[in-house]
Amino acid sequence: MKDNGRIKTTQESSFRKTVNILLPFLIYFVVHDLAQILLAFLVNFSIGAFGNGYGEFMTKNASTVSGLLNALSLAIGMAAVWPMARMELKWAKVLGGTETETGEETALKTLKYVLLSIFAVSFALGVNLLMALAGLTRISERYQEVADRQYGVALGIGILIYGLVSPLAEEVVFRGLIYNRMRRYFGKALSVIVCGVMFGIYHGNLVQGIYGAVLGIAITYSYEWFGSFFAPVWFHACANTAVFIAGYDKVVKGNIVTPLNCGIFMAVSAFCLLALWKAGSKK
């Protein structure tokens, strides 16, 4: 029985609800870490097995190799929880649709996704610039370490990792599983906020934690707004790709961090939100 987006499950204890919400993440986290350890062992073994030339190549491209190993680990972790996610997505009725759309409905949906894309890019860049201007990126050594590792990968590989693999894996866990389960117990409003905050905590440092929480709330809300799992994946992919490309070149990154640019990006994101609201009212 539903009540404002919530399914009444009074027969389940608070402990049971907590386990149901957190278990997918724990499985994903453990499988991801074990896969990363195993893959690193295999790479180190291959360096010893294939000779100096191969070893020099792997050492020279250590950041890219590390990024690829992490991407594989993310995919393996996602695969471990996908059966549970598929069930949740079926419950939420977002694994594709069978209803036939009119040409006008298709055009409106396309417009909404274009607006979502622009919003994701402008909002992600605006929040990043705001945090840089506030000095948060300079005071976190942990963030600097993560940033150096992320931007050390080859550009094309980085786009593949942060624009495709990472968004898909993380959305399966956080929106596909954690959010859908929270929504059954606690309704939409609280679940959107808590899921976003959990997404921030998952990133493990202050800067990415704040950024992840803010973006996580927006991503989760896009899931509710569009009623499709594609929306949060697409939002996440657009945001990650834009931030990665903007920060990849240190000269470009240094020049883009200005109050004016921050204001422009935030204004564009606000305009897109208004346009999305108006487009949504035409349904």
Side-chain angles (χ1 to χ4, degrees):
M1 181 165 51
K2 294 184 179 180
D3 177 17
N4 190 29
R6 181 188 320 181
I7 290 184
K8 293 182 178 179
T9 54
T10 54
Q11 70 276 16
E12 293 189 44
S13 67
S14 297
F15 175 77
R16 178 69 176 175
K17 291 176 182 179
T18 302
V19 170
N20 284 340
I21 292 169
L22 295 181
L23 181 61
F25 176 73
L26 293 175
I27 293 173
Y28 166 80
F29 187 80
V30 170
V31 172
H32 168 274
D33 281 15
L34 289 175
Q36 205 164 34
I37 292 170
L38 177 59
L39 290 170
F41 170 79
L42 292 175
V43 167
N44 288 331
F45 178 81
S46 69
I47 291 175
F50 292 110
N52 293 334
Y54 174 80
E56 290 175 2
F57 173 82
M58 296 295 282
T59 301
K60 183 179 179 180
N61 297 279
S63 294
T64 298
V65 172
S66 177
L68 286 171
L69 294 183
N70 184 53
L72 284 172
S73 301
L74 288 170
I76 293 170
M78 177 186 69
V81 298
W82 173 247
M84 289 186 288
R86 185 176 179 84
M87 292 179 62
E88 293 297 333
L89 292 171
K90 283 184 176 180
W91 171 82
K93 297 180 180 178
V94 294
L95 269 180
T98 58
E99 297 180 1
T100 302
E101 294 180 344
T102 65
E104 183 178 349
E105 289 172 335
T106 300
L108 180 60
K109 180 186 286 188
T110 301
L111 172 62
K112 288 168 68 177
Y113 272 106
V114 170
L115 290 170
L116 181 67
S117 304
I118 300 172
F119 172 76
V121 169
S122 57
F123 188 62
L125 290 173
V127 173
N128 264 274
L129 294 186
L130 185 61
M131 296 181 69
L133 290 168
L136 292 177
T137 57
R138 294 192 299 271
I139 64 175
S140 174
E141 293 183 5
R142 173 61 179 161
Y143 167 76
Q144 293 295 338
E145 292 172 3
V146 172
D148 290 343
R149 185 167 64 249
Q150 288 180 339
Y151 292 118
V153 304
L155 180 61
I157 299 298
I159 293 173
L160 174 66
I161 295 170
Y162 304 115
L164 178 61
V165 179
S166 177
L168 181 58
E170 291 174 353
E171 290 310 309
V172 165
V173 176
F174 282 93
R175 257 54 67 173
L177 274 164
I178 293 176
Y179 174 68
N180 277 326
R181 290 189 174 186
M182 289 183 64
R183 186 176 178 271
R184 286 213 304 270
Y185 299 135
F186 308 116
K188 298 176 185 178
L190 179 63
S191 299
V192 166
I193 295 171
V194 175
C195 183
V197 172
M198 288 178 64
F199 184 64
I201 294 172
Y202 159 77
H203 284 81
N205 63 79
L206 177 63
V207 176
Q208 287 185 303
I210 296 172
Y211 171 76
V214 172
L215 263 289
I217 291 171
I219 291 170
T220 310
Y221 187 76
S222 75
Y223 185 24
E224 277 292 343
W225 182 260
F226 280 77
S228 168
F229 183 63
F230 178 73
V233 175
W234 181 246
F235 187 126
H236 199 156
C238 290
N240 273 15
T241 302
V243 171
F244 178 75
I245 292 175
Y248 193 79
D249 187 291
K250 291 185 178 181
V251 175
V252 173
K253 184 178 180 180
N255 291 332
I256 201 175
V257 182
T258 67
L260 176 61
N261 287 334
C262 180
I264 290 173
F265 284 127
M266 297 306 286
V268 170
S269 64
F271 171 80
C272 289
L273 267 185
L274 178 61
L276 276 168
W277 178 77
K278 289 186 175 181
S281 67
K282 296 179 181 179
K283 293 190 295 184

